[in-house]
Amino acid sequence: MESTWLVLLSLALGLTVGAGFVTLLYVAERHGKRAAEVVNPAVPDGIDQVLDALESAGLVLDPSNNVIKSSPGALNMGLVVNQQLAHPELLDLARGVRRTGEAVSEELVLSRGPFGDASMHLRVRLARLGSRYVLLLAEDRTEAFRLDEVRRDFVANISHELKTPIAAVGLLAEALGHAADEPVQVRRFADRLTTEAGRLARLTQEIIELSRLQAQDALREPELLDIDDIVAAGIDQNRVVADADRITIALGKKSRAKVYGDERLLVMAVHNLVANAVHYSAPGSRVGVGARVSEGVIQVTVTDQGVGIPESDLDRIFERFFRVDQARSRNTGGTGLGLAIVKHVVQIHGGDIRVWSQPGHGSTFTIRLPEATHPAPAATGDTP
């Protein structure tokens, strides 16, 4: 009898231990699954496809604020480093959304990288995604801010530059009225009035040209052109002014190179460089102009023996309305737009412009353009 009870007791004890062991295994498995979900949480259905399709930046944060999914744009902007948000400002916003449960939209200025002072303007939006995740979307508005700033500066510069000739025209017109009975004075004021009117006309025309160039991303109807003809035309437009100051314009050997582009714009670019060289050269000096081609690159070079450009100004000379010598450029009727126009003309032709200068020894400007080696590309909008 006692042996029967011992057997039953052993069975009960075994069942209890087995049940406890099974329970422990089940609990351990549950904890393991939860731990795995925390470490490797699954992205909600459909989010992967949405983020992959985004042109802007998008990413998903898990409960520990780890980045578990990000779009290519987020990586390109440098928002994610080692599966973590790279900017503490974004992390603070994510914590706020998680705490309040409310979506937020902010404009932020963030550093573009760990080196340098470059920054980016972002419009970011964050919202809860389900009960555990946070979705962050970022739109890069850096270019829009830059263009807005350029537009404001452009308007301010135009207002400032137009004030001088307009005021001069008004004063001269008033002086003409008071000097009606003095023929000598009338002629003198009339000559100055003509000069200021011409300067105002040049400024207005160059502003129009620059606006057109800035709105034009590429050439619409490129033509096959002879670079030697373009250089010769740009020089001829400056012969009269150069001869008046006894400045010799020396033309180098023909390059026989061809380029695809807009003839009017390219001639204007060469003309502006030669005009600058003449204006900033001393009477009786020499301006050299040449074109050559090497390894598929056409180089048009304009060299003068003028006053030169200080090193501190070399990075700014292609800015609109920038003048190295304010007094001299105003005396020669300069608008400060010539080099800006040259830069834009060269850029839309797929080239660039470089400058070397030394104060007191003159300057050398070099336009570099791709040589035409294949049939002219079709104009924009043409059908094959």
Side-chain angles (χ1 to χ4, degrees), residues 214-231:
Q214 289 178 321
Q216 185 175 347
D217 294 331
L219 294 172
R220 291 187 175 88
E221 297 181 359
E223 299 175 339
L224 184 62
L225 306 171
D226 190 320
I227 198 68
D228 295 323
D229 292 342
I230 291 170
V231 170

Side-chain angles (χ1 to χ4, degrees), residues 29-262:
E29 183 183 3
R30 288 292 301 273
H31 279 291
K33 286 183 178 180
R34 289 179 181 175
E37 289 176 358
V38 171
V39 175
N40 299 305
V43 178
D45 292 340
I47 294 300
D48 290 54
Q49 292 80 0
V50 172
L51 291 181
D52 289 338
L54 283 178
E55 292 185 1
S56 57
L59 53 88
V60 176
L61 302 172
D62 70 5
S64 299
N65 288 326
N66 297 310
V67 178
I68 59 173
K69 180 64 181 178
S70 59
S71 69
L75 299 175
N76 292 338
M77 289 184 195
L79 302 183
V80 181
V81 177
N82 296 327
Q83 298 302 111
Q84 299 290 325
L85 287 175
H87 301 86
E89 298 90 341
L90 297 177
L91 188 58
D92 290 340
L93 290 176
R95 288 169 177 163
V97 169
R98 201 179 298 281
R99 184 175 58 254
T100 63
E102 296 181 358
V104 298
S105 179
E106 294 282 347
E107 298 276 352
L108 297 177
V109 180
L110 304 177
S111 62
R112 192 170 287 278
F115 309 109
D117 299 326
S119 59
M120 52 185 176
H121 293 258
L122 299 183
R123 173 179 289 172
V124 297
R125 300 169 185 170
L126 295 91
R128 293 185 71 95
L129 188 63
S131 60
R132 305 183 48 176
Y133 305 100
V134 171
L135 175 66
L136 186 153
L137 300 175
E139 177 187 358
D140 189 355
R141 305 188 70 237
T142 305
E143 186 66 12
F145 272 87
R146 188 190 68 81
L147 291 176
D148 191 48
E149 184 176 346
V150 167
R151 184 171 60 251
R152 287 196 304 268
D153 291 345
F154 193 42
V155 171
N157 287 332
I158 289 175
S159 301
H160 176 74
E161 293 296 327
L162 288 176
K163 271 196 278 187
T164 300
I166 289 175
V169 168
L171 291 173
L172 289 169
E174 184 179 349
L176 275 173
H178 292 306
D181 298 329
E182 303 178 37
V184 176
Q185 289 287 74
V186 168
R187 283 195 296 271
R188 186 167 69 89
F189 288 141
D191 289 342
R192 291 183 59 186
L193 186 60
T194 301
T195 299
E196 291 298 333
R199 179 181 170 193
L200 186 58
R202 286 193 301 274
L203 178 59
T204 303
Q205 183 60 37
E206 289 190 355
I207 289 173
I208 293 172
E209 290 287 354
L210 187 57
S211 298
R212 288 175 178 171
L213 289 171
Q214 289 178 321
Q216 185 175 347
D217 294 331
L219 294 172
R220 291 187 175 88
E221 297 181 359
E223 299 175 339
L224 184 62
L225 306 171
D226 190 320
I227 198 68
D228 295 323
D229 292 342
I230 291 170
V231 170
I235 291 175
D236 287 342
Q237 294 178 5
N238 291 277
R239 289 288 187 189
V240 174
V241 176
D243 292 343
D245 287 335
R246 296 177 291 107
I247 295 174
T248 301
I249 302 179
L251 177 61
K253 295 181 180 180
K254 290 183 178 294
S255 67
R256 305 187 185 281
K258 303 288 185 179
V259 64
Y260 290 120
D262 185 303

